[in-house]
Amino acid sequence: MSQKITTKEQAKAVIDNYDYFIFDCDGVLWLGDHLLPHVCETLDLLKEANKTVLFVTNNSTKSRNAYLSKFDKLGVQGITKSEVFGSSYASAVYIDKILKLPKDKKIWVLGEEGIERELHELGYTTIGGTDPTLVEHGVHFDHDHPLLTELDDNVGAVVTGLTFNLNYLKLSITMQYLLKDNKSIPFIATNIDSTFPMKGKLLIGAGSIIETVAYASGRQPDAICGKPNQSMMNSIKADNPGLSSKPSRGLMIGDRLNTDMKFGRDGGLDTLLVLTGIETEQGVLSQDASTAPTYYADKLGDLYELFK
Ligand SMILES: O=C(O)[C@H](O)[C@H](O)COP(=O)(O)O
Ligand SMILES: [Mg+2]
């Protein structure tokens, strides 16, 4: 049964019992560009207590560098690139280190600059993504668009993720690459999140976009690199031997049961679910012992508000 954090003693126990605090971003720290209450104060409180604070997001629309700019713009100070992990970075590392795709192969991207920039940083060339020629002005679908009629034989992988600039042309080209060469081009998904939390509403998530081209092409992704995949947890543990040797000193804080909470649980960490994103209190309380978070709270800032 999950414990709801509602008292100073409970908040103090959470802060005292862990050395590593791994934060999800969307729905925990912010909703879009709206910082949630007392996030900065809570992070400062943890840093003053010499806790290790890390960030793991499935949102592939931004690169790690772009997230550093977002943190700075929202007033979250002192975050370094090595403390930020995103599904765009995890996907690029998968292509480089696991798939071992040669650098002279190109990558078709259904997604935003986060995926493009992380792949470029590893020396890959991408097509698709934020290419301005793919923006369809008006309702005209250009059957004769060169990127649709002449597929690039040098494409060696397809990476799909969240995009707020989706259109029929981008979906159609992605599908062609997934069907090409007898469906042999590797299909990489950044994450499975079905919805995207925005202030007061749920929008279409990466997982729902990816499912569109998966269903149409009759394929499922060969790799899903974001949470709950343990690749980012393994990277974090490799950088933090104390967490690797004693995962129970870590706390994963997130807003989604099937990604954040599973990511923490499968990594051997305790978990705290906050109700500012995807999940509801009823949803949390309906979990059985195998999937219930260790704790839950109305919002992250409660740790600060209750403790102070
Ligand atoms: O649709 C998506 O991709 C997700 O809603 C979004 O990426 C979640 O980001 P996170 O909560 O992992 O920061
Ligand atoms: Mg989230």
Side-chain angles (χ1 to χ4, degrees), residues 275-289:
L275 298 173
T276 42
I278 302 293
E279 308 290 358
T280 62
E281 185 161 22
Q282 186 189 357
V284 172
L285 296 177
S286 67
Q287 300 302 305
D288 64 29

Side-chain angles (χ1 to χ4, degrees), residues 60 108 110-111 115 158-162 174 187-191 210 213:
S60 62
W108 172 264
L110 177 64
I115 298 173
V158 172
V159 179
T160 54
L162 179 62
T174 303
F187 176 13
I188 289 104
T190 59
N191 58 302
I210 294 163
V213 291

Side-chain angles (χ1 to χ4, degrees), residues 24-28 197 227 255-256 260:
D24 170 45
C25 297
D26 288 340
V28 175
K227 300 167 287 184
D255 72 304
R256 185 184 280 272
D260 304 320

Side-chain angles (χ1 to χ4, degrees), residues 237 240-248:
K237 286 179 176 176
N240 295 275
L243 180 66
S244 185
S245 59
K246 205 162 185 187
S248 59

Side-chain angles (χ1 to χ4, degrees), residues 54-65:
L54 300 165
F55 304 92
V56 184
T57 178
N58 271 2
N59 187 323
S60 62
T61 61
K62 288 182 174 62
S63 63
R64 288 164 297 160
N65 286 335

Side-chain angles (χ1 to χ4, degrees), residues 34-53:
H34 167 75
L35 197 66
L36 289 164
H38 287 134
V39 164
C40 292
E41 295 85 347
T42 304
L43 296 176
D44 288 345
L45 177 63
L46 294 171
K47 292 203 170 183
E48 285 156 17
N50 293 317
K51 307 296 183 180
T52 297
V53 171

Side-chain angles (χ1 to χ4, degrees), residues 162-174:
L162 179 62
T163 175
F164 304 116
N165 301 288
L166 189 63
N167 64 32
Y168 192 75
L169 176 62
K170 293 177 182 179
L171 289 170
S172 299
I173 299 170
T174 303

